[in-house]
């Protein structure tokens, strides 16, 4: 739009940005008979033209170091069987190493390998840190290169993998550098959970409980009754439901967690609206997690934050004593911490000040008003 005034001429540009990305649940992702990892990001019509192209297919894969020890040979076998030119880059993707140096390392390797930035997406295979770091690297390379997320932890499966945020830690703060660039696709395969320690399963269940408390009473009741059982089964399919059409508790809980997360994220991908239910458990947990690193996993810090806020909600008359008790007992049943000695009043006050700075001067603190309501 052009506007003329006594001071001169001005132009206003309005350019809506539309992102389309796919979240696909599948089984046996690393089985060479399954094409999802290679072509799942492409719609069927476009795929016909891509597969008939004589140009060799290339893929650059960034994989968490521990995941590489467990699945690296299967990843290699997959791409060998498909006749793909590929490079696998194993990296130690932990909160302590989640920094711009790691991003630069990825970018140098990608540049050396050489990819077509429009048709050869970078693949990230690992937990939330791996997905965040690779996402940021992809968003920077040639101003935006497509990337694919393959989460291997429960927490990244239902949280980091389905949104648009990328980031690294900076200046002593969690995810202080980052971008809003979603992947072209996320591929979900819960069989990766079989090699996770139980603590990592609990860690992910914290984010699931968050969505239950904010949006879905049925999910809360499922976790309350069957949570410990699902934890110790590592959310693998129940044998009793194996051959039937009936959805078991583990599959239902993951589906509901992802659906409720996407319902919240999709209309507000760029966080223009700061009233975000998905921020429950994320008011004091960033400060706490970074303060005691590496003592608490992300979901454990979120659980402690949620526990504190449940007491705040009860104090404000938003939750009954019984509801408060049921929530805390559910957390304990999921083997999550509900308190930490470093969660002091000073830390809480500092977190609130950070929140005010981050949220345009308004605290905007999501609180439960019942089980599945907020």
């Amino acid at each position: 739009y052009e506007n003329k005034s006594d001071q001169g001429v001005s132009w206003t540009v309005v350019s809506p940005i539309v992102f389309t990305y796919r979240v696909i649940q599948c089984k046996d992702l690393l089985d060479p008979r399954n094409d999802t990892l290679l072509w799942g990001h492409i719609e069927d019509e476009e795929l016909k033209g891509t597969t008939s192209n004589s140009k060799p297919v290339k893929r650059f894969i960034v994989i968490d170091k521990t995941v590489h020890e467990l699945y690296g040979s299967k990843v290699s076998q997959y791409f060998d069987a498909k006749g793909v030119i590929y490079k696998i880059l194993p990296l130690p993707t932990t909160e302590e190493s989640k920094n711009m140096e790691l991003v630069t390392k990825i970018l140098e390797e990608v540049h050396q390998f050489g990819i077509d930035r429009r048709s050869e997406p970078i693949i990230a295979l690992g937990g939330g840190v791996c997905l965040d770091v690779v996402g940021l690297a992809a968003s920077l390379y040639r101003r935006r290169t497509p990337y694919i997320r393959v989460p291997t932890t429960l927490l990244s499966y239902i949280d980091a993998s389905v949104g648009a945020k990328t980031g690294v830690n900076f200046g002593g703060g969690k995810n202080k550098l980052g971008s809003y660039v979603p992947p072209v696709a996320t591929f979900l395969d819960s069989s990766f959970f079989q090699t996770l320690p139980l603590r990592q399963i609990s860690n992910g269940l914290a984010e699931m409980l968050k969505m239950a408390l904010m949006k879905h009473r049925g999910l809360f009741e499922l976790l309350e009754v069957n949570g410990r059982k699902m934890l110790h089964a590592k959310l693998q399919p129940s044998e009793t439901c194996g051959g039937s059409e009936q959805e078991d508790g583990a599959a239902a809980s993951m589906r509901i967690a992802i659906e409720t997360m996407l319902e919240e994220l999709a209309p507000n991908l760029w966080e223009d609206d700061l009233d975000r239910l998905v921020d429950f458990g994320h008011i004091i947990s960033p400060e706490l997690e970074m303060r005691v690193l590496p003592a608490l996993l992300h979901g454990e810090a979120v659980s402690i934050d949620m526990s504190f806020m449940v007491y705040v909600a009860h104090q404000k008359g938003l939750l009954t004593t019984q509801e408060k008790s049921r929530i805390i007992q559910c957390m304990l049943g999921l083997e999550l911490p509900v308190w930490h000695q470093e969660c002091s009043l000073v830390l809480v006050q500092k977190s609130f000040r950070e929140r005010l700075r981050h949220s345009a001067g308004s605290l905007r603190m999501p609180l439960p008003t019942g089980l599945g309501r907020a």
Side-chain angles (χ1 to χ4, degrees):
Y1 304 98
E2 184 176 289
N3 184 42
K4 293 179 180 176
S5 69
D6 295 342
Q7 282 77 38
V9 182
S10 67
W11 293 270
T12 302
V13 178
V14 180
S15 179
I17 301 170
V18 177
F19 277 111
T20 302
Y21 64 102
R22 312 177 86 187
V23 179
I24 300 173
Q25 271 188 322
C26 60
K27 293 177 182 175
D28 305 317
L29 188 65
L30 298 180
D31 186 332
R33 292 169 295 183
N34 186 341
D35 286 336
T36 305
L37 187 57
L38 198 56
W39 304 117
H41 62 291
I42 297 176
E43 297 287 351
D44 291 344
E45 283 304 309
E46 189 186 343
L47 182 58
K48 287 174 188 170
T50 305
T51 50
S52 61
N53 194 331
S54 58
K55 186 178 144 192
V57 178
K58 294 178 79 176
R59 289 294 183 270
F60 188 92
I61 307 103
V62 182
I63 187 169
D64 173 79
K65 195 175 172 186
T66 305
V67 176
H68 185 253
E69 289 166 9
L70 294 164
Y71 297 101
S73 60
K74 287 192 80 172
V75 175
S76 296
Q77 287 163 17
Y78 180 91
F79 288 112
D80 285 338
K82 298 286 189 187
V84 173
I85 298 167
Y86 65 94
K87 178 174 176 62
I88 297 174
L89 177 64
L91 289 174
T93 53
T94 63
E95 281 294 338
E96 297 94 312
S97 65
K98 190 181 184 183
N99 53 42
M100 282 304 293
E101 284 80 3
L102 207 57
V103 173
T104 306
K105 168 74 174 165
I106 293 166
L107 291 172
E108 286 169 349
E109 294 279 353
V110 167
H111 187 62
Q112 195 176 341
F113 178 68
I115 56 171
D116 181 327
R117 80 165 193 89
R118 296 192 182 277
S119 63
E120 294 168 350
I122 299 168
I123 297 173
L125 196 71
V129 173
C130 180
L131 307 188
D132 282 356
V133 172
V134 174
L136 181 56
S139 74
L140 293 172
Y141 190 64
R142 306 288 298 273
R143 296 192 180 90
R144 195 175 88 240
T145 295
Y147 70 102
I148 288 167
R149 287 173 170 163
V150 181
T152 57
T153 63
L154 175 59
L155 188 131
S156 59
Y157 187 102
I158 59 177
D159 183 36
S161 69
V162 298
K165 291 199 284 193
T166 75
V168 293
N169 302 332
F170 177 75
K174 190 170 172 64
N175 295 326
K176 283 286 165 69
L177 300 179
S179 61
Y180 292 98
V181 178
V184 286
T186 291
F187 303 141
L188 305 172
D189 183 350
S190 61
S191 66
F192 285 116
F193 305 161
Q194 293 173 81
T195 50
L196 288 175
L198 283 182
R199 186 184 175 194
Q200 280 286 357
I201 304 291
S202 282
N203 186 44
L205 287 171
E207 289 284 357
M208 190 181 284
L209 179 60
K210 174 189 82 175
M211 298 315 299
L213 293 173
M214 293 291 97
K215 284 182 68 80
H216 205 289
R217 185 187 179 105
L219 178 56
F220 172 78
E221 289 170 349
L222 185 58
L223 291 172
E224 185 180 37
V225 175
N226 295 322
R228 186 183 285 269
K229 184 179 165 187
M230 291 193 301
L231 163 64
H232 286 271
K234 298 188 176 181
L235 280 95
Q236 294 309 294
S238 165
E239 289 185 13
T240 55
C241 296
S244 73
E245 293 296 308
Q246 183 188 354
E247 186 179 42
D248 69 2
S253 65
M254 289 186 285
R255 175 182 55 78
I256 295 166
I258 289 167
E259 283 174 357
T260 51
M261 185 74 78
L262 288 172
E263 282 169 9
E264 286 297 303
L265 295 179
N268 191 29
L269 214 52
W270 276 257
E271 298 183 6
D272 295 319
D273 181 0
L274 295 172
D275 292 341
R276 289 165 29 93
L277 293 182
V278 292
D279 282 350
F280 184 55
H282 293 70
I283 308 293
I284 58 180
S285 65
E287 189 71 31
L288 176 63
E289 186 182 350
M290 296 304 286
R291 172 80 58 91
V292 302
L293 205 67
L296 287 173
L297 299 175
H298 175 71
E300 293 170 338
V302 167
S303 179
I304 291 162
D305 184 323
M306 292 193 297
S307 169
F308 179 83
M309 294 302 173
V310 162
Y311 274 79
V312 171
H314 177 251
Q315 195 76 27
K316 289 176 72 67
L318 302 174
L319 286 178
T320 66
T321 302
Q322 186 194 29
E323 286 170 335
K324 178 190 78 170
S325 174
R326 284 178 68 184
I327 293 167
I328 299 299
Q329 286 305 312
C330 182
M331 289 173 171
L332 296 172
L334 299 176
E335 299 180 20
L336 286 164
V338 295
W339 181 82
H340 192 279
Q341 60 193 24
E342 290 294 328
C343 188
S344 63
L345 181 59
V346 172
L347 183 134
V348 171
Q349 288 170 329
K350 185 182 178 191
S351 301
F352 283 173
R353 284 194 296 272
E354 274 293 308
R355 184 68 173 177
L356 282 168
R357 267 204 297 272
H358 187 59
S359 304
S362 171
L363 196 52
R364 289 185 164 92
M365 192 164 73
L367 289 174
T369 57
L371 302 173
R373 293 197 321 271

